Amino acid sequence: MPLTPFTKQQLLPQEEKLEVSRQRSDLFIGVPKETSYQERRICLTPDAVNSLTAHGHRVMIEAGAGESSSYSDKEYSDAGAEITLDTKKVFSCPVILKVEPPTEKEIEMMKQQTLLISAIQLKTQKKEYFEALAAKKITAMAFEFIKDEDGSYPAVKLLSEIAGTASVLIAAELMINQKIGKGLLLGNITGVPPTEVVIIGAGTVAEFAARTAIGLGANVKVFDNSITKLRRLQNNLNQRIFTSTIQEKSLLKALMRCDVAIGAMRGKNRTPIIVSETMVEHMKNGAVIIDVCIDTGGCFETSEITTHEKPTFIKNEVVHYCVPNIPSRYSKTASMSLSNIISPFLLQMAENGGLESSIRCNTGFKNGIYFYHGLLTNRLIADWFSLSYRDINLIIF
């Protein structure tokens, strides 16, 4: 009986199989004009376009795509982009860059096997969107799913930083507004009691909201049920502030005294309602509520979705600001942030020899893919919409 499970042939020395060196590939990127309501951002700044064209890639931008982010067609043209009025021509490019996910009409304009890079906004999607992607055998990547080397989600983090900082600045504007505000300055002036700010949640939005409010001199109180998150927040702020777990009695006490309340909670599927209508009734007249997490339901019971054109409403004598897409208000800053994530990724993808090689080399990119040549590869989406899915690790290895 042989002592080995291998045949004589298998025990002989085998030739070594080396990876074939990757060839650099040139990209042809299309950037269409955003058609979604209130979307003012663009994925690439003129500087990013300049960097891509300098590396030999082609970028086609629809005329007027950057206007709402204060970038003119001339700036893009000078950076080396091709400007066109033909929307179909832009959507026929092999790589499509969008901020908002495309509509079904826009997917129809795309060619088979296109690479789509955009947000996905799962909470607003319908099953038909995924069926349309499958029909065109599109490979789709979502900003929200792209991971960094440290395991964090850079796009989500950057937009959360903008939303957190903006929430305090918006509250400061509303407090002095002639029609609805009380004429209060958000901050700390000698001899005047400092403004009280309550933040519900202790993630990135909360951290940047707290940082901005503290910088202005306000008294900040943060509530969250995770002690780990509260500790991390204090360490990141590098100072001790009032932190508490969410207990109705202490939260109500803080809300009764505060001038600004910011909702920055994240739930798995829907943000839990933390502040009831009764608690809002006990708040000061003219106090301001900024519900940053309204896009996932909001953590104030009195919250209702508003728009950038009509951002506020008053309920129980409290001013509510519940706009779902806060970063779009700061379109140029948000565009720069997105561009800083996307342009290095595109350059790296080209250096790696295209998408297939990039997915093999980089687990962060692989995590961003939710559709691969018409196959759904994301478990979360599959469960959410009751669709069948394939594990991308079994397709690409």
Side-chain angles (χ1 to χ4, degrees), residues 168-206:
V168 175
L169 302 178
I170 291 163
E173 280 176 44
L174 294 175
M175 283 164 72
I176 54 165
N177 187 297
Q178 291 298 308
K179 289 177 186 173
I180 54 177
K182 291 287 177 188
L184 278 171
L185 174 71
L186 200 154
N188 191 343
I189 302 301
T190 310
V192 179
T195 317
E196 296 278 341
V197 177
V198 167
I199 300 169
I200 299 162
T204 308
V205 173

Side-chain angles (χ1 to χ4, degrees), residues 272-331:
I273 291 172
I274 307 293
V275 181
S276 66
E277 186 159 0
T278 317
M279 287 165 120
V280 174
E281 283 168 9
H282 282 89
M283 288 175 73
K284 285 182 192 173
N285 287 358
V288 175
I289 285 174
I290 312 279
D291 205 340
V292 181
C293 48
I294 189 69
D295 55 340
T296 52
C299 61
F300 292 83
E301 197 182 358
T302 49
S303 292
E304 292 165 25
I305 289 181
T306 59
T307 64
H308 284 296
E309 281 72 37
K310 198 174 180 297
T312 58
F313 65 90
I314 297 171
K315 203 169 189 177
N316 303 319
E317 298 299 314
V318 176
V319 181
H320 291 64
Y321 181 98
C322 307
V323 178
N325 190 359
I326 290 176
S328 188
R329 178 186 164 116
Y330 303 91
S331 54

